[in-house]
Structures are given as C-alpha cells and as structure tokens.
Amino acid sequence: MASTITGASVGLGLSCSTTRKLSQTRNPSSSMLSFCSIKMTVSVEEEKKKRSFTLKKSEEAFSAAKEMMPGGVNSPVRAFKSVGGQPIVIDSVKGSHMRDIDGNEYIDYVGSWGPAIIGHADDEVLAALAETMKKGTSFGAPCLLENVLAEMVIKAVPSIEMVRFVNSGTEACMGVLRLARAYTGREKVIKFEGCYHGHADPFLVKAGSGVATLGLPDSPGVPKAATYETLTAPYNDIAAVENLFENNKGEICAIILEPVVGNAGFIPPKPEFINALRRITKENNALLIFDEVMTGFRLSYGGAQEYFGITPDLTTLGKIIGGGLPVGAYGGRREIMEMVAPAGPMYQAGTLSGNPLAMTAGIHTLKRLQEPGSYEYLDKVTSELVQGIIDAGKKTGHAICGGYIRGMFGFFFTEGPVYNFADAKKSDTAKFARFYQGMLEEGVYFAPSQFEAGFTSLAHTTEDIQKTIAAAEKVLRRI
C-alpha cells in the first residue's frame, strides 16, 4: 500500500543522512585541517555555482514566447504562475537530468509529467525510433506496431480485454465517458474534487492539475449543459458517493477517478475506499472507470488496479505507453469496447491514433519495465527521496507530510494527513514557492506547483537522491 509520512518517527524507518564521518586520525590538528579544507572547497564550489546560475536566455525566450502563445506556454502549469520567478526553457534531457538553454543542469523529478519512467532519451528507445522513422512517421492506416503494443497492454492491465489508442489523456477520457454513457444509456457521472481527467468540458468541474495550480474557477466557455450531468464528491469519502447514488437512482453511468490522485498533489486512497467504489457501482449497475493516465505502468506493471487488486470496468492510459511521444488509450471488457465504432455505434476517431512512432516508443519502454527488479528499484529510490525530504523538513522546523508508491510521490507543507483536495489546500503554498525557487537554484527540478505529484525513474541514481536531499535540507534551513 501507499507509504504516507507525516513525521520524523513515522513512515519507512529509513535513514537518509547525507553527512559523512571523517576517518579518525591520531593527529587531531591534521583532522581539523582536513575538515577545514573540505569545508573551504565546498564553500568555494557553492559560491561558484551560485554565481553561475542565470536564467537570462530563458527570460529572453519566454518574453518572446508570450508575444506568440497565450501566457508564453502550451500548457498552463509550465508558466510558473503559482511559484513565481522565471520559467526555465529546456534545451535537452538525458537519463534523470535536464539542461536549460542557459546551461544550467537539473535533477528532474517531473519526467515530462510522467512518461519518462525509464529515463529521458533512452538509447534503446531512440535507436528503435530511428529505425521506425525510416519507414515513415505516420500512415493514417493500420500498422503492425499497433497490434504489438495492444497485445502488451491487454496482457498487462487486468481490466483491459480490448483497447483503442488515441493521442492524449484528455482524448482517452473524452472517449471513455462517451462509451460509458453509450453502454449504460445513462448520462450522469461522478468525479472527485481535485481529480483531473483532461480539459474536456464535462470534467472541468472542481478539477485538479493546472486548474488547481492557477486557482481558477470552473472554466469560462464551458456551457452549463456540458457539466449539468457531472456530480462531484470529496476523494476518499464513501458516504458522499452513496448519497449521490441515493439521490440520482438509475441515472449514474459511472464513477471515474484517479485511483491515486496525482493532479492535486500525491493523495493515495484509504484502504477501504476503492473497494467500496467497486461494491457501490456493482450494486447500482454503474461502471467503475480508473483514469490511469498517470498511474498506469507506474505503480506496477499492471497499474494501480494490479497494485490494489481491484479491477474496474474501463481504464484510461497515456504517458508511459507512448514512451515520451503523444499517446492515450482507453480499454476494458470486450462487451463494452465492442460498442466503439466501427465494431459498434459509439463514434470516435483520430488522424494520428496508433501512429508508428508512439507505438514504437511505447513498446520499448514497456519491454524495459518488464525486466526483473524494475519496480523494486523505483520503490527504493523513491522511498529514500521522500523520507529524506520529510526528515529534512522536520529537522529544520517545518510542517510537512508526504508519501509515495513505487515511482510516484508527493509532499505538502502541512502537518497532514492529506486525504482529499480540501486537505491539500491547507498547504502553505507560499512556502512551497520559496522552496521551489531555492531547489531550482540548487539544480533540482520539481513540478512548479504544490498540487502536482512527482516522478522518479529507473535512471535516477543514489547520488541523485542524496544530492536532492542535501539540497532540500539546505533550502529548508534558509526559508
């Protein structure tokens, strides 16, 4: 189950100290001299690093971007609105690191918002893509690679017997909601406050991700009719869900949720919560939909549903199954999926769906994840990271809590525990902004929002983790 850490004496029982004892020596003065030399070297290196950190080129590029693109970005959270300061413009990525156009290097815990689970720009994936590109980048017709990835997804994910590939998580959630309505003949759907299922009109009600980050109300431009059938409940609140079914008998087609919330920060389910949702949906002839765009192939090879042992009726995927290229998918029981055109009457289509590049990157990413020890390694590095940051926060006098599952994690500047979006909003977001800017200067890149989960990868090393913890303690002392 999820590991939640709320205090120095609670959690994983790991020691993540970043200090080292100097070797004992018979000559005390020699020992002192060695210590002073080390301290002086570190101080010089820190001063040199501080002087060299600049975002001048990023600032120039971003100023130009704002004249051409709304807010200077193509996805809102990238604009650093909630943390302030200058957004960084990236030049290149490799493994667990990224470099901006000013030459600053960062240990990356965003991972392109989840896809980079085996590390950025993996050599095997790049080589496979190069070979595929020789044959073409898009066919607009069936290709054998679609079969290969579809078979891998069906074998891995317990709920999926048939799958439809699309081009984004938003598109996958749009399709799965239309399918749930078509299959059940009902229109109302339950979502949870703070959960984000893309920017389609029916889902922009008490949404997470960029909507939460920017503190926006339900989006202008969404007709009331589009959200009239969307019902909301607090995450982890079984009674609220039961009340919605009681007050809307025979009208609810499905419950859709992030089985582990990542778009309001990292919020795991209470042990009984998902089991209760499975029971309630079956009792009311409604469908249970897991939005695993973020958790799919990250919490385990079979996703959150394999990790928790709960099989939904339908599932959405994205991110990891495209290996860093645009992709999405939805799938589920055969009898439901056969409603999708051309097998059935529910229409959905896409020009670039199943394109050979995304399929190739996805295939080779999943092959890597099949290697023994992959998820154990993710669990190890993530536990060390989270425990280290929480310990550093407590040691320096901050209210902080957090948790992780395998390669997904988060922490909040509040005592916690955090069970839902209302709890998450108690966090000290001003403190997070100061922490964020400090960590950026120390060469660590977290998501620029208190309300986004973080991600580790197979490329993160023990050295990466220890450097991050040391930087966190330094910044936490300063703020």
Side-chain angles (χ1 to χ4, degrees):
M1 300 300 286
S3 293
T4 302
I5 305 164
T6 57
S9 62
V10 181
L12 305 170
L14 298 175
S15 175
C16 295
S17 174
T18 59
T19 59
R20 293 185 179 180
K21 292 181 179 179
L22 293 170
S23 299
Q24 290 186 343
T25 175
R26 292 171 184 252
N27 186 340
S29 62
S30 173
S31 177
M32 182 60 70
L33 181 61
S34 299
F35 178 76
C36 290
S37 298
I38 292 169
K39 187 174 182 181
M40 186 180 296
T41 302
V42 171
S43 297
V44 169
E45 288 300 318
E46 286 181 351
E47 188 60 33
K48 189 186 295 182
K49 183 177 179 181
K50 189 174 181 181
R51 285 200 305 269
S52 65
F53 184 80
T54 176
L55 294 176
K56 187 174 184 297
K57 290 181 180 178
S58 283
E59 185 175 355
E60 291 170 353
F62 189 65
S63 293
K66 286 191 287 188
E67 295 299 315
M68 298 177 283
M69 295 174 280
V73 294
N74 285 304
S75 192
V77 74
R78 301 175 191 173
F80 279 32
K81 287 283 189 180
S82 71
V83 294
Q86 172 60 48
I88 60 175
V89 178
I90 301 303
D91 178 65
S92 63
V93 291
K94 188 68 177 177
S96 60
H97 289 234
M98 59 200 307
R99 183 180 292 270
D100 68 24
I101 60 175
D102 287 282
N104 302 305
E105 190 168 322
Y106 309 89
I107 302 169
D108 176 29
Y109 294 103
V110 178
S112 192
W113 301 95
I117 192 168
I118 65 173
H120 290 294
D122 178 79
D123 290 342
E124 291 182 15
V125 174
L126 292 180
L129 285 170
E131 286 300 310
T132 298
M133 281 193 288
K134 292 177 183 177
K135 298 180 179 181
T137 59
S138 178
F139 304 151
C143 71
L144 188 59
L145 293 167
E146 293 172 283
N147 289 25
V148 176
L149 186 57
E151 184 177 6
M152 294 177 80
V153 168
I154 290 167
K155 283 184 177 179
V157 184
S159 66
I160 296 182
E161 296 175 354
M162 299 186 83
V163 64
R164 166 62 60 88
F165 291 114
V166 292
N167 296 291
S168 69
T170 288
E171 198 177 336
C173 290
M174 287 170 60
V176 85
L177 176 58
R178 185 180 302 163
L179 175 58
R181 286 171 166 168
Y183 181 76
T184 62
R186 304 171 181 178
E187 295 189 1
K188 292 185 178 180
V189 62
I190 296 174
K191 72 173 291 289
F192 294 94
E193 296 167 9
C195 284
Y196 179 73
H197 306 291
H199 58 82
D201 287 359
F203 297 121
L204 288 181
V205 180
K206 297 183 179 180
S209 192
V211 179
T213 297
L214 300 177
L216 296 174
D218 297 343
S219 179
V222 177
K224 289 182 180 179
T227 58
Y228 180 75
E229 308 292 358
T230 303
L231 310 175
T232 62
Y235 188 77
N236 272 322
D237 190 334
I238 298 169
V241 175
E242 290 175 329
N243 287 338
L244 287 174
F245 272 97
E246 181 63 29
N247 295 329
N248 298 272
K249 287 185 177 179
E251 298 181 85
I252 297 172
C253 72
I255 295 174
I256 185 169
L257 78 154
E258 296 178 75
V260 173
V261 180
N263 287 292
F266 176 87
I267 307 175
K270 293 180 180 178
E272 69 278 10
F273 180 61
I274 297 180
N275 280 292
L277 296 184
R278 179 69 284 183
R279 171 182 57 79
I280 292 167
T281 49
K282 283 185 175 179
E283 289 173 353
N284 289 275
N285 295 316
L287 301 179
L288 180 62
I289 305 170
F290 277 10
D291 179 353
E292 295 224 45
V293 168
M294 191 173 286
T295 58
F297 292 92
R298 180 162 284 280
L299 304 193
S300 71
Y301 192 69
Q305 54 200 265
E306 180 184 68
Y307 184 85
F308 292 116
I310 302 293
T311 303
D313 300 294
L314 293 167
T315 299
T316 60
L317 297 168
K319 298 186 186 293
I320 288 172
I321 65 164
L325 276 75
V327 77
Y330 60 99
R333 298 205 314 267
R334 179 176 297 274
E335 65 180 285
I336 304 175
M337 290 301 296
E338 286 181 339
M339 289 284 294
V340 180
M346 191 223 83
Y347 192 75
Q348 179 271 313
T351 300
L352 295 173
S353 297
N355 77 82
L357 296 185
M359 300 296 100
T360 295
I363 290 165
H364 287 272
T365 297
L366 297 194
K367 281 182 179 179
R368 179 70 63 81
L369 291 173
Q370 289 175 349
E371 293 178 3
S374 293
Y375 290 94
E376 289 79 5
Y377 183 79
L378 288 171
D379 192 78
K380 175 182 178 294
V381 294
T382 314
S383 67
E384 290 175 358
L385 174 70
V386 175
Q387 184 70 66
I389 291 174
I390 300 303
D391 285 349
K394 294 294 180 180
K395 190 189 302 182
T396 52
H398 296 281
I400 188 170
C401 66
Y404 73 96
I405 300 177
R406 300 284 170 76
M408 183 177 176
F409 70 92
F411 53 89
F412 297 95
F413 281 107
T414 181
E415 287 291 351
V418 173
Y419 292 126
N420 52 45
F421 190 37
D423 291 338
K425 288 193 290 185
K426 297 173 184 175
S427 297
D428 188 337
T429 53
K431 181 179 287 185
F432 177 84
R434 296 194 301 274
F435 175 76
Y436 183 84
Q437 290 297 335
M439 292 300 282
L440 207 61
E441 291 182 19
E442 293 296 323
V444 178
Y445 185 70
F446 288 122
S449 169
Q450 175 73 94
F451 304 117
E452 296 284 359
F455 305 104
T456 52
S457 74
L458 296 177
H460 281 89
T461 64
T462 298
E463 184 182 6
D464 288 333
I465 303 304
Q466 295 303 321
K467 282 184 177 179
T468 302
I469 295 167
E473 183 168 342
K474 179 181 176 183
V475 172
L476 288 164
R477 288 191 186 283
R478 193 166 68 231
I479 65 171

